[in-house]
């Protein structure tokens, strides 16, 4: 695999891919090609996939095993359906097979001519220096995908120029937008690429919290409901904390407190004001709800996003 591929690889994660966007925008690559491969896992031709595997794997038993997995098919409405395209749905080997097949795009990509490619499985972003380069990159991507029997998803394919006050791009759950700092700390107003949870991520958080605090769960003890909400919010925040997400975290925090107050008011058949009083004033820790305050780690250009200990035992980014 090549450095531009980040999905389903050891010691690589979504945040490694996101860091590339921060670094390249700082270098001046602010024309972005964003696309998503249409039905990638379902459309990969079996014959071409086996050919890609055989470029590095010559063991016949391994290749035969892969052929058997690809031909296994899926059962739908009591009938087994076998297709000549696609990797096994839900199969643990499917992400690896997709990476092997899409590796041909990574290998054929010329960063100097078409910009910096960032690929996480079937989600693709290209950071370019000029509009002309971005258009050439999109044309090249279409050609490479056509050679593989694939195509970009039309609804998610576009070219965006990152400018202060302009539109941004969504990638890996985050919304990325060029902003200008207020200069309170450094005294300088710096232009940088900020990111925060995308609208879909925010809606998913609200939907899940609403589901966990539904009125059908009135008989469940409040501490059990709080534990269930905390499990979700803790995991959600662990991913989105690496961004400029303070305002969005505050919205999620207020929403889950409001939903818990509403649940308490219904449970005791009291007014909403009673529920708010219990959550916001009568409990010093809001009934144990997970706190989203003070956990943000804003990304910085050319700095590792992971927190690691230094030689003196202190923690640094």
């Amino acid at each position: 695999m090549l450095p531009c591929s980040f999905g389903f690889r050891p010691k690589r994660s979504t945040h490694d891919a996101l860091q590339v966007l921060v670094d390249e925008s700082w270098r001046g690559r602010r024309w972005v090609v964003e696309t998503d491969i249409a039905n990638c896992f379902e459309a990969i031709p079996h014959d071409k996939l086996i050919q890609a595997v055989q470029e590095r794997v010559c063991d016949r038993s391994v290749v035969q095993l892969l052929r058997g997995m690809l031909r296994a098919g899926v059962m739908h409405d009591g009938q087994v359906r076998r297709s000549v395209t696609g990797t096994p749905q839900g199969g643990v080997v499917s992400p690896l097979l997709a990476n092997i097949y899409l590796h041909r795009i990574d290998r054929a990509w010329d960063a100097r001519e078409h910009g910096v490619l960032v690929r996480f499985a079937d989600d693709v972003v290209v950071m370019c220096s000029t509009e002309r380069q971005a258009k050439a990159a999109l044309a090249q991507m279409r050609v490479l995908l056509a050679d593989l029997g694939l195509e970009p998803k039309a609804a998610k394919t576009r070219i965006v120029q990152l400018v202060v006050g302009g539109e941004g791009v969504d990638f890996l759950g985050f919304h990325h937008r060029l902003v200008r700092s207020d200069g309170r700390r450094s005294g300088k107003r710096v232009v940088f690429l900020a990111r925060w949870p995308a609208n879909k991520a925010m809606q998913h958080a609200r939907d899940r919290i609403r589901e966990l605090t539904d009125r059908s769960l009135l008989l469940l003890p409040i501490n059990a409901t709080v534990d269930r909400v905390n499990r979700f919010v803790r995991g959600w925040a662990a991913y989105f904390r690496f961004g400029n997400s303070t305002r969005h975290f505050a919205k999620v925090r207020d929403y889950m407190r409001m939903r818990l107050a509403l649940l308490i008011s219904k449970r005791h058949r009291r007014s909403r004001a009673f529920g708010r009083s219990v959550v916001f004033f009568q409990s010093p820790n809001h009934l144990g709800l997970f706190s989203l305050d003070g956990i943000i780690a804003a990304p910085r250009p050319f700095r590792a996003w992971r927190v690691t200990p230094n030689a003196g035992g202190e923690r640094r980014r």
Side-chain angles (χ1 to χ4, degrees):
M1 303 299 173
L2 295 177
C4 61
S5 173
F6 293 88
F8 308 104
R9 296 186 57 191
K11 298 182 180 180
R12 308 202 104 193
S13 71
T14 54
H15 289 92
D16 293 316
L18 293 168
Q19 185 63 40
V20 176
L21 271 63
V22 175
D23 296 344
E24 295 304 325
S25 68
W26 190 264
R27 290 191 174 104
R29 292 188 172 94
R30 295 177 179 174
W31 284 89
V32 182
V33 179
E34 60 170 334
T35 187
D36 187 1
I37 302 175
N39 301 318
C40 177
F41 290 88
E42 293 82 13
I44 296 177
H46 290 174
D47 292 341
K48 291 185 177 181
L49 175 59
I50 293 297
Q51 291 175 7
V53 173
Q54 288 177 326
E55 291 182 8
R56 295 293 298 272
V57 178
C58 59
D59 190 318
R60 293 184 179 181
S61 61
V62 174
V63 174
Q64 189 65 24
L65 175 62
L66 289 177
R67 289 184 185 275
M69 296 176 67
L70 293 174
R71 290 197 301 262
V74 296
M75 181 171 290
H76 182 72
D77 294 334
Q79 295 183 349
V80 178
R81 297 182 179 180
R82 293 181 173 86
S83 174
V84 296
T85 62
T87 56
Q89 296 183 12
V92 295
V93 75
S94 295
L96 175 60
L97 294 178
N99 264 344
I100 292 173
Y101 193 63
L102 297 178
H103 174 67
R104 296 186 174 188
I105 296 178
D106 308 338
R107 191 171 54 191
W109 197 262
D110 187 343
R112 293 185 178 181
E113 183 179 356
H114 299 113
V116 175
L117 174 69
V118 182
R119 184 178 66 80
F120 193 95
D122 57 345
D123 288 335
V124 180
V125 161
V126 184
M127 306 293 290
C128 303
S129 300
T130 63
E131 182 181 11
R132 180 179 179 180
Q133 187 181 50
K135 292 181 178 180
L138 181 55
Q140 176 70 354
M141 182 62 66
R142 294 183 188 276
V143 170
L144 293 175
L145 288 176
D147 290 342
L148 296 177
L150 304 172
E151 62 180 0
K153 188 177 296 184
K156 293 187 177 182
T157 301
R158 61 176 185 155
I159 296 176
V160 178
Q161 183 184 15
L162 297 175
V163 295
V164 176
E167 61 180 329
V169 297
D170 290 348
F171 186 55
L172 300 180
F174 282 93
H175 179 73
H176 306 258
R177 184 170 296 190
L178 206 67
V179 300
R180 192 185 306 275
S181 66
D182 54 16
R184 293 179 182 177
R185 296 185 179 180
S186 62
K188 298 180 180 179
R189 302 194 66 187
V190 180
V191 176
F192 65 98
L193 186 66
R195 66 171 182 252
W196 51 79
N199 291 335
K200 287 185 178 180
M202 291 293 292
Q203 188 61 49
H204 169 67
R206 287 190 290 266
D207 292 343
R208 183 57 179 156
I209 293 172
R210 186 186 306 113
E211 179 183 340
L212 294 173
T213 56
D214 189 76
R215 64 185 306 164
S216 62
L217 304 174
L218 286 176
L219 297 181
L220 195 68
I222 292 299
N223 60 345
T225 299
V226 170
D227 288 342
R228 293 170 56 160
V229 172
N230 283 348
R231 281 196 296 269
F232 166 73
V233 175
R234 188 179 290 111
W236 186 88
Y239 180 78
F240 289 105
R241 66 181 292 261
F242 295 100
N244 311 86
S245 309
T246 302
R247 290 188 297 108
H248 293 73
F249 273 31
K251 292 179 180 179
V252 173
R253 177 202 63 200
D254 294 342
Y255 185 75
M256 66 178 178
R257 291 177 181 176
M258 182 272 293
R259 288 293 305 179
L260 187 61
L262 185 62
L263 185 67
I264 291 175
S265 66
K266 291 179 179 179
R267 180 183 178 88
H268 294 275
R269 298 182 180 180
R270 301 284 296 272
S271 65
R272 293 188 180 185
F274 170 79
R276 290 181 58 84
S277 174
V278 172
V279 175
F280 287 88
F281 303 108
Q282 298 183 29
S283 174
N285 63 347
H286 306 289
L287 296 179
L289 281 172
F290 181 72
S291 176
L292 289 170
D293 300 326
I295 66 171
I296 303 299
R300 296 289 184 271
F302 313 113
R303 293 186 184 180
W305 65 272
R306 291 184 176 89
V307 179
T308 55
N310 60 19
E314 299 176 353
R315 297 177 70 80
R316 60 177 179 143
R317 287 193 70 241

